């Protein structure tokens, strides 16, 4: 499936990750599914597609997280590979991964397969942080729900 369609499918899943959205995400993260014939996107098109500002895309480029090609006029052109990396970056930033960790991870990716054990360790650590964050949010939700129940019984509350 085309990168653009996969991204739109993921972002359309507004009420939580459905199996369809998760399948699309897995396909996006698999470099073997990148379509060679996909037309590159401008910075504005790429920003709109992945839900980021053009400023953020330029910042990611400045930090070495993504390296879009330039056309003959000097404008950035985001390939399907670049778009897929942006999806990964946005998911990791949303989960609280630091820029330092992201830069380290991308540097390791670019160094090749010999860095897989270290990349795996980074992802395991990130999973632990996300799991803790989910537990903390579950408790915050439960606290909120409790207060709503209390206020339902006491409108002046």
């Amino acid at each position: 499936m085309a990168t653009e369609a996969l991204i739109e499918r993921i972002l359309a899943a507004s009420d939580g990750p459905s199996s369809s959205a998760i399948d699309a995400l897995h396909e996006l993260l698999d470099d073997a599914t990148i379509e060679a014939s996909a037309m590159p996107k401008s910075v504005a098109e790429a920003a709109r597609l992945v839900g980021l500002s053009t400023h953020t895309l330029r910042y990611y480029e400045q930090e070495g997280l993504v390296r879009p090609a330039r056309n003959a006029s000097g404008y950035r052109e985001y390939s399907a590979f670049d778009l897929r990396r942006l999806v990964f970056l946005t998911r990791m930033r949303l989960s609280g991964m630091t820029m330092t960790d992201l830069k380290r991870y991308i540097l390791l990716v670019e160094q090749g397969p010999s860095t897989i054990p270290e990349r795996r360790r980074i992802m395991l650590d990130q999973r632990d942080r996300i799991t803790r964050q989910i537990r903390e949010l579950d408790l915050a939700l439960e606290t909120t729900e409790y207060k709503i129940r209390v206020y339902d019984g006491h409108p002046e509350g």
Side-chain angles (χ1 to χ4, degrees), residues 16-145:
S18 65
S19 61
S20 172
I22 291 170
D23 289 345
L25 179 63
H26 289 177
E27 193 171 338
L28 270 173
L29 296 176
D30 181 357
D31 290 344
T33 66
I34 294 176
E35 62 282 359
S37 62
M39 293 296 296
K41 304 285 183 215
S42 69
V43 67
E45 291 169 325
R48 178 193 52 73
L49 185 60
V50 297
L52 296 172
S53 69
T54 57
H55 175 77
T56 300
L57 293 188
R58 290 183 184 106
Y59 173 70
Y60 283 178
E61 181 181 358
Q62 176 186 332
E63 294 298 313
L65 297 174
V66 65
R67 293 182 179 82
R70 301 275 181 152
N71 65 18
S73 301
Y75 293 108
R76 291 169 180 83
E77 290 189 328
Y78 288 82
S79 67
F81 176 82
D82 297 323
L83 294 171
R84 288 165 183 245
R85 178 168 286 178
L86 287 170
V87 167
F88 170 77
L89 294 172
T90 59
R91 298 301 93 194
M92 292 300 100
R93 289 295 293 149
L94 180 67
S95 72
M97 183 178 268
T98 66
M99 287 298 290
T100 301
D101 286 345
L102 266 177
K103 287 192 275 189
R104 176 72 183 144
Y105 182 86
I106 295 301
L107 178 68
L108 291 168
V109 167
E110 292 173 349
Q111 290 175 3
S114 66
T115 66
I116 286 175
E118 190 172 351
R119 285 187 266 160
R120 185 176 188 281
R121 169 59 28 214
I122 291 169
M123 289 293 105
L124 288 169
D125 290 345
Q126 184 62 15
R127 180 183 63 189
D128 291 346
R129 284 189 293 272
I130 292 168
T131 301
R132 179 177 174 85
Q133 186 178 8
I134 289 169
R135 283 194 314 264
E136 290 172 356
L137 287 171
D138 280 340
L139 287 172
L141 178 59
E142 184 55 40
T143 302
T144 303
E145 293 292 346

Side-chain angles (χ1 to χ4, degrees), residues 5-22:
L6 289 168
I7 292 170
E8 288 175 359
R9 198 161 103 198
I10 290 169
L11 297 179
S14 59
D15 42 331
S18 65
S19 61
S20 172
I22 291 170

